[in-house]
Amino acid sequence: ENEKNKDKQEIPSIKADVEGRTYKIQVYASKFPAAKDAKVYQDFKVVSIEQAANGVYRHMVNEYASYNEASADLVNVVIKGYRGAYIVAYKDGQRVQVYDITTTN
């Protein structure tokens, strides 16, 4: 199982990000959005929630201009107890695969 997780982490790092791309850290997903007094709001100043097509609510924290910034902060998020946290990416406000936007054309 550790080998499987290790492979997920091997995403190419990038030297400079393209305009319109942002990154967040998804801390968890659930059937319901977090209540206003939930732990996630106490742990982070910036929390965003979006509903996926399947109805699940994705809970993301912080926002970064580059993959490298998000990657550096991911350790801090995990230390706070969000062990399944991972980086998600957006291009012009739309969620995209991290790999799609970290590779160069």
Side-chain angles (χ1 to χ4, degrees):
E1 190 176 327
N2 286 349
E3 288 300 312
K4 188 177 179 182
N5 291 340
K6 187 176 152 192
D7 290 344
K8 272 187 179 176
Q9 299 301 324
E10 293 174 9
I11 295 169
S13 63
I14 43 181
K15 293 181 179 113
D17 272 297
V18 174
E19 205 173 320
R21 295 178 184 174
T22 56
Y23 301 84
K24 297 178 183 182
I25 295 176
Q26 182 167 325
V27 289
Y28 65 91
S30 64
K31 290 182 182 180
F32 303 100
K36 290 295 176 199
D37 61 348
K39 181 180 185 295
V40 70
Y41 288 109
Q42 295 165 22
D43 290 341
F44 304 99
K45 290 180 182 166
V46 179
V47 177
S48 55
I49 301 172
E50 68 182 27
Q51 192 170 17
N54 63 1
V56 170
Y57 290 90
R58 299 169 174 155
H59 296 71
M60 280 83 59
V61 298
N62 305 336
E63 190 166 317
Y64 311 90
S66 74
Y67 177 84
N68 289 342
E69 286 176 26
S71 183
D73 197 35
L74 182 59
V75 174
N76 299 320
V77 173
V78 171
I79 288 169
K80 288 184 180 185
Y82 301 91
R83 296 200 325 221
Y86 59 95
I87 298 168
V88 294
Y90 292 81
K91 183 171 183 190
D92 299 323
Q94 296 296 313
R95 187 162 167 151
V96 294
Q97 294 294 318
V98 171
Y99 183 78
D100 290 347
I101 63 175
T102 56
T103 55
T104 53
N105 300 5

